[in-house]
């Protein structure tokens, strides 16, 4: 389907939504860590958590073990 001059792969819509929501959550967490850093409230445990979350997002959506490797319509987010 084409929507607003962009090709939409219907099979990826659910993955696209999940990806968007996870990236939004990750972005908020990373922003909160950045805001807390000057207040010396940053912990190594929290940084480790964010790195693991980034790895999971990458493995599930951007470099999947299940073909195709890219599980989202990435051009929508670039």
């Amino acid at each position: 389907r084409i929507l607003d001059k962009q090709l939409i792969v219907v099979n990826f819509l659910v993955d696209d939504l999940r990806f968007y929501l996870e990236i939004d959550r990750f972005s908020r967490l990373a922003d909160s860590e950045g805001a807390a850093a000057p207040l010396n409230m940053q912990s190594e445990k929290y940084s480790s958590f964010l790195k693991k979350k980034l790895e999971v997002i990458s493995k599930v959506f951007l470099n999947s073990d299940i073909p195709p490797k890219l599980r989202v319509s990435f051009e929508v987010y670039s």
Side-chain angles (χ1 to χ4, degrees):
R1 300 198 162 216
I2 297 180
L3 178 66
D4 195 28
K5 299 180 184 178
Q6 288 206 3
L7 179 64
I8 303 296
V9 180
V10 177
N11 294 345
F12 285 130
L13 285 177
V14 173
D15 285 342
D16 287 351
L17 178 60
R18 287 184 183 144
F19 178 74
Y20 174 80
L21 293 172
E22 284 302 316
I23 290 300
D24 187 53
R25 283 186 210 125
F26 177 80
S27 179
R28 286 188 208 162
L29 287 171
D31 287 347
S32 70
E33 181 186 28
L39 302 173
N40 202 20
M41 294 172 28
Q42 179 180 3
S43 70
E44 286 187 36
K45 188 175 181 180
Y46 192 68
S47 292
S48 177
F49 166 75
L50 285 178
K51 288 177 185 175
K52 287 179 185 175
K53 185 163 180 75
L54 181 59
E55 289 172 11
V56 169
I57 290 170
S58 178
K59 182 175 174 112
V60 171
F61 296 105
L62 305 178
N63 193 19
S64 177
D65 292 335
I66 303 166
K69 283 196 167 293
L70 183 63
R71 304 293 299 174
V72 293
S73 301
F74 192 68
E75 61 273 357
V76 173
Y77 307 102
S78 9

